[in-house]
Amino acid sequence: MEITRRGLVTGAAVGGGLLVAWWFLPRSYPNPLAPAQGEHLFDAWIKIAEDGVVTVAVPQLEMGQGITTLLPQIVAQELGADWRQVAVEPAPVAAAYANVPLARRWADLWEPVAAGLSDDFDEMQAERFARSSRFAATADGTSIAAYEMPCREAAAAARAMLAEEAASRWGANWEECEVENGIVRWGDNSATFGELAEGAATRSAPDPAPIRPEPPRADLTAPASEGGAAAPDFPRIDLPSKVDGSFTFASDVRLPGMVFAAIRHGPNNGSELTGFNAEAAKGIRGIVGAVKTKRWLAVAATTWWSAQAALDAMEPQFTTAFPVDTSDIDARMDTLLKGGDSFKIAETGFGEEAMTRVDIARRYEVEPAPAASLETASAAARYADGRLELWIATQAPEQARRAAARAVGLPPEDVVLYPMPAGGSFDARLEHDHAIEIAHIAKELERPVQLTWARREEMIHTRPRAPYYMLLGAQLSEGGNGAIDALKWRIATPPSNREFGERLFGNLTAWAAIRESAGKSDALACEGAVPAYELPSVTVRHIPVETGQPTGRVRGNSHVPTAFAMESFIDEIASQHSREPLSFRMSMLGSDIRMAACLQRAASLAQWDGGADRSGQGIACHRIGDAETGGRIACVATARPGEGGVRVTRLSAAVDIGRVINPDIARQQIEGGLLFGLGIALGNALKMRGGLPEAFAYADLGLPTLAECPEIEVALVESSAPPADPGELGVAVCPPAIANALFSATGLRLRRLPLLSSGL
């Protein structure tokens, strides 16, 4: 009898651990896909039609990052499909699509007690949780880590089944058949996928699947075609429909008899609806009805504009228990940074005791920042016969479905969620408030309805990235060259990830989540604080702060403040000791040759001049993830002060994200991240007064316009490491690169983000 680790765990349980062992036993799940006429199912990932079209199910939210191209590309390359015949459909909520890597990363959020007992236990626990709760959230750049291998295994099995069907017709061995470009060949015989699909789908998939020896990989060393860059081998599937306007978002859904709802919220920290003037809306045409709860008021009409006009006329009034101002938040952050109790989050090398003195210390501050996606929250719903249908863009579909079900008193199995793509998200659609609201409205009105938040509501109800006050201290070597012997952080910030976890997994309100997480440490809020540099000692301490204002996740998350503080601090030490910033960083990298290669490549792209006084060039680098699998980026920014503020003229970045699957999408993500970081660095701060933002318009955020976008050059560094996510690297590295460039240009050291929040 073959003995496996899982079998051993199960057998050992007979004497007293049967319940625990049963909990970890594998489960089988039905195929969630439904074939259309002429389509044939191969597994939970692939359908092949008799016209040769290969449809790939994608369980991740498409929000501009290109996942509806990346996963189908992986399938196409492993299967041997013709890219011109590959289609995509959103996967239904199902256990087959569990995001186990993300479940493990977020274990502290859904199971804080048992997390961390052992690597094996954590892995099994995460898999069991993810599959049993159908957890398939899109976040933290885990899509490839979670789904590349399942996609390859599914495609390899389908390829073998197609080859077996062809071989049975030709009297051949299926292993001798070649499968490429949507055709199976053996000698002079050939058959298309469409011709083989019906018979192949009835065959048993081989176990294990015959995966190709080489994973999908782009050749970054191939020269560009004459006259410019070559066209991508796998162009984005969603691009043509986005260009011609036919791409369907949640706000584009139209159902028979649908009406349109607008909503009004009070401050996002415990506000209650106290009154409104219903009579004032009677003269507005097209009003269908109004729905009120303790926290909000919604009006539905035959047009959204009529519904919004009715809300304006009704003038809803709210009270709030916690009228928070930015000045109150700053005062509390300042007090706790100086003397608040802290939790040790990380300790490396010789430990905290290695720091016996502080030779240099600096304080850095980062103000809250909203996700500010261009598309506001929108959803459509239909409630009939005790059943709710929901069309919504969500990064956490099962959690949104369960929240909507609970809101209207339905069992989750009576709620059907149709996943829609998002016009940007930046983690805002991890929240599911609009799913709860549309469920209430649809049930009350008993007719199809679409809810769309106005920009004002998006700003009011935003849960921005938390504010950060950070104190960095370093003990330097006695040689006088600025070498760091020990580094210590004190990071004062709300435990925003714990708040988020209470909302997502505990279905708590924002203010209840604040109370539940108050005073608790949050390791995810300090990610990025342990740098890529090999320093003798690094200690990171978190000081949890309760500000009274809800916080959440925003693209880049904690890596934005920690990269800003660390790379600004490194630059300050280099300047104080007359060290050239690039060589100073290189001297501390130790064995991280991947980061060294990024720094050298970025410097070459930018024609780095050493960051000389008044040159306007600044350099920064950052790693997201561990030393083995993490992505690296180095960036040189060129900036100048001017009459209209600061002008960033050029960003040169070199990036190592391991094995690159689609270089076109990787560059898009890095360029987009750099521009997102530009907005964080030079945009306007989110100021609060009485629990409300001081400004509500999108233009008030001060985001870069097309005319203000700098020249961007991105070089992808060839690497054999596992794939890393490119989406957040540029966001993290851009602000410190710009801050260092401004110091070079002006001699002024700006230690607060946004950089111009207090003027230049």
Side-chain angles (χ1 to χ4, degrees):
M1 179 181 69
E2 182 181 1
I3 298 177
T4 65
R5 178 169 58 86
R6 186 181 294 273
L8 186 61
V9 171
T10 305
V14 174
L18 184 59
L19 181 61
V20 174
W22 175 87
W23 197 78
F24 284 121
L25 281 172
R27 300 288 185 268
S28 61
Y29 303 97
N31 192 328
L33 297 183
Q37 185 174 0
E39 285 186 329
H40 301 280
L41 291 178
F42 280 72
D43 57 18
W45 295 91
I46 299 171
K47 298 188 293 185
I48 301 179
E50 292 171 11
D51 60 3
V53 172
V54 177
T55 300
V56 180
V58 175
Q60 298 280 270
L61 173 66
E62 176 59 71
M63 47 188 170
Q65 83 279 35
I67 196 61
T68 49
T69 295
L70 283 171
L71 294 185
Q73 177 188 336
I74 291 168
V75 168
Q77 290 184 274
E78 185 68 48
L79 179 60
D82 185 336
W83 185 243
R84 296 168 297 180
Q85 291 186 282
V86 174
V88 62
E89 70 175 42
V93 178
Y97 309 113
N99 188 339
V100 178
L102 183 60
R104 180 165 184 179
R105 275 184 57 80
W106 287 0
D108 279 346
L109 307 185
W110 53 264
E111 186 57 73
V113 176
L117 291 180
S118 72
D119 288 344
D120 284 349
F121 183 85
D122 287 352
E123 187 67 32
M124 289 189 292
Q125 185 186 38
E127 181 170 358
R128 182 62 181 156
F129 164 79
R131 297 203 182 278
S132 63
S133 64
R134 297 189 281 198
F135 177 72
T138 309
D140 270 4
T142 54
S143 295
I144 298 302
Y147 300 115
E148 181 183 23
M149 189 51 67
C151 281
R152 291 190 66 198
E153 290 172 344
R159 172 166 44 83
M161 294 160 71
L162 290 164
E164 288 175 355
E165 175 64 19
S168 70
R169 299 181 185 184
W170 303 329
N173 292 323
W174 72 268
E175 294 92 341
E176 297 175 356
C177 295
E178 296 180 356
V179 184
E180 59 183 5
N181 297 323
I183 299 174
V184 181
R185 289 187 172 89
W186 179 69
D188 294 333
N189 300 286
S190 66
T192 66
F193 283 7
E195 293 169 339
L196 299 169
E198 183 177 8
T202 63
R203 295 183 172 273
S204 298
D207 186 16
I211 296 175
R212 297 183 190 272
E214 287 296 322
R217 175 192 299 276
D219 184 3
L220 301 181
T221 63
S225 61
E226 185 176 350
D233 293 329
F234 295 91
R236 290 184 65 137
I237 290 178
D238 57 343
L239 189 58
S241 58
K242 285 182 175 177
V243 170
D244 66 22
S246 60
F247 196 79
T248 303
F249 296 96
S251 57
D252 298 317
V253 172
R254 295 294 182 268
L255 302 172
M258 174 181 281
V259 294
F260 303 88
I263 197 166
R264 188 65 52 87
H265 305 95
N268 191 21
N269 49 4
S271 61
E272 294 186 13
L273 178 66
T274 57
F276 56 91
N277 183 3
E279 295 294 321
K282 285 189 174 180
I284 299 174
R285 297 179 60 182
I287 302 299
V288 173
V291 179
K292 69 170 184 175
T293 69
K294 186 178 180 180
R295 309 293 180 187
W296 48 264
L297 173 67
V299 174
T302 53
T303 69
W304 185 86
W305 298 106
S306 295
Q308 184 70 11
L311 280 175
D312 292 338
M314 294 164 74
E315 297 183 334
Q317 303 296 311
F318 296 87
T319 60
T320 180
F322 310 103
V324 178
D325 293 347
T326 293
S327 58
D328 299 330
I329 296 174
D330 288 345
R332 187 160 182 78
M333 297 280 291
D334 179 71
T335 299
L336 290 176
L337 177 67
K338 294 174 181 177
D341 293 335
S342 64
F343 295 88
K344 187 184 293 184
I345 298 298
E347 186 177 53
T348 69
F350 294 108
E352 194 169 16
E353 291 73 20
M355 194 166 184
T356 58
R357 66 180 189 276
V358 178
D359 295 318
I360 181 173
R362 294 292 186 270
R363 169 171 161 165
Y364 301 92
E365 301 170 3
V366 179
E367 300 197 54
S373 57
L374 188 60
E375 180 193 40
T376 61
S378 183
R382 178 166 51 201
Y383 185 93
D385 302 323
R387 182 180 173 88
L388 176 69
E389 295 176 279
L390 189 61
W391 290 260
I392 190 171
T394 170
Q395 291 177 248
E398 178 64 359
Q399 283 63 44
R401 188 175 77 98
R402 290 179 179 271
R406 182 179 298 182
V408 293
L410 290 177
E413 55 267 24
D414 287 336
V415 176
V416 179
L417 187 147
Y418 304 105
M420 303 298 295
S425 175
F426 313 127
D427 280 356
R429 301 301 165 243
L430 280 166
E431 308 285 353
H432 49 240
D433 302 74
H434 57 312
I436 295 171
E437 293 165 357
I438 190 65
H440 272 299
I441 297 168
K443 183 178 181 181
E444 289 296 318
L445 297 180
E446 296 185 330
R447 61 187 301 175
V449 60
Q450 183 180 84
L451 170 68
T452 301
W453 288 8
R455 176 60 57 185
R456 180 183 186 277
E457 301 311 309
E458 186 86 10
M459 292 298 295
I460 287 175
H461 216 60
T462 186
R463 296 184 179 112
R465 187 192 57 237
Y468 278 73
Y469 275 31
M470 297 164 286
L471 187 62
L472 272 78
Q475 176 178 306
L476 306 181
S477 68
E478 297 180 355
N481 62 354
I484 300 173
D485 284 342
L487 181 76
K488 184 174 181 179
W489 291 75
R490 280 177 63 85
I491 301 176
T493 189
S496 54
N497 293 281
R498 290 198 179 274
E499 283 183 39
F500 161 72
E502 295 291 350
R503 294 193 301 267
L504 184 69
F505 299 113
N507 206 38
L508 297 187
T509 61
W511 43 97
I514 291 175
R515 291 195 300 268
E516 187 66 27
S517 57
K520 296 180 180 178
S521 65
D522 185 352
L524 292 176
C526 301
E527 280 192 314
V530 177
Y533 307 114
E534 292 188 5
L535 304 179
S537 168
V538 176
T539 305
V540 181
R541 285 190 166 273
H542 175 220
I543 306 162
V545 181
E546 183 180 349
T547 66
Q549 183 68 24
T551 57
R553 295 176 58 84
V554 175
R555 187 178 188 182
N557 293 296
S558 63
H559 288 278
V560 172
T562 55
F564 171 65
M566 173 58 70
E567 287 301 291
S568 296
F569 191 54
I570 294 297
D571 233 54
E572 294 208 49
I573 296 174
S575 175
Q576 181 173 298
H577 291 81
S578 301
R579 296 290 302 272
E580 191 273 322
L582 172 61
S583 61
F584 184 55
R585 286 172 168 81
M586 295 284 286
S587 69
M588 295 185 290
L589 287 176
S591 60
D592 195 342
I593 58 175
R594 296 173 62 193
M595 183 65 87
C598 288
L599 280 164
Q600 291 175 331
R601 186 74 175 275
S604 176
L605 288 175
Q607 297 181 324
W608 170 253
D609 63 0
D613 188 32
R614 301 296 187 265
S615 75
Q617 283 193 327
I619 195 168
C621 61
H622 191 63
R623 183 179 72 205
I624 295 181
D626 60 39
E628 296 297 323
T629 63
R632 277 93 164 155
I633 188 169
C635 178
V636 175
T638 303
R640 297 281 189 275
E643 293 182 1
V646 174
R647 172 73 173 172
V648 178
T649 59
R650 183 181 175 88
L651 294 171
S652 303
V655 187
D656 184 338
I657 53 170
R659 172 169 52 87
V660 177
I661 296 172
N662 189 310
D664 194 47
I665 290 178
R667 287 191 178 92
Q668 291 169 12
Q669 283 293 286
I670 295 160
E671 290 169 1
L674 290 168
L675 290 177
F676 198 97
L678 179 69
I680 291 172
L682 302 180
N684 298 328
L686 180 67
K687 301 291 187 181
M688 306 298 294
R689 181 178 298 169
L692 292 172
E694 289 187 354
F696 299 108
Y698 202 70
D700 294 328
L701 296 174
L703 301 179
T705 65
L706 187 61
E708 295 166 335
C709 292
E711 178 185 353
I712 297 177
E713 187 172 7
V714 174
L716 297 174
V717 178
E718 184 75 23
S719 177
S720 59
D725 178 64
E728 299 189 340
L729 287 167
V731 186
V733 81
C734 188
I738 293 174
N740 294 338
L742 287 176
F743 174 75
S744 170
T746 67
L748 296 175
R749 175 59 64 179
L750 303 175
R751 301 190 181 97
R752 186 178 179 97
L753 281 181
L755 295 172
L756 305 182
S757 57
S758 301
L760 183 60

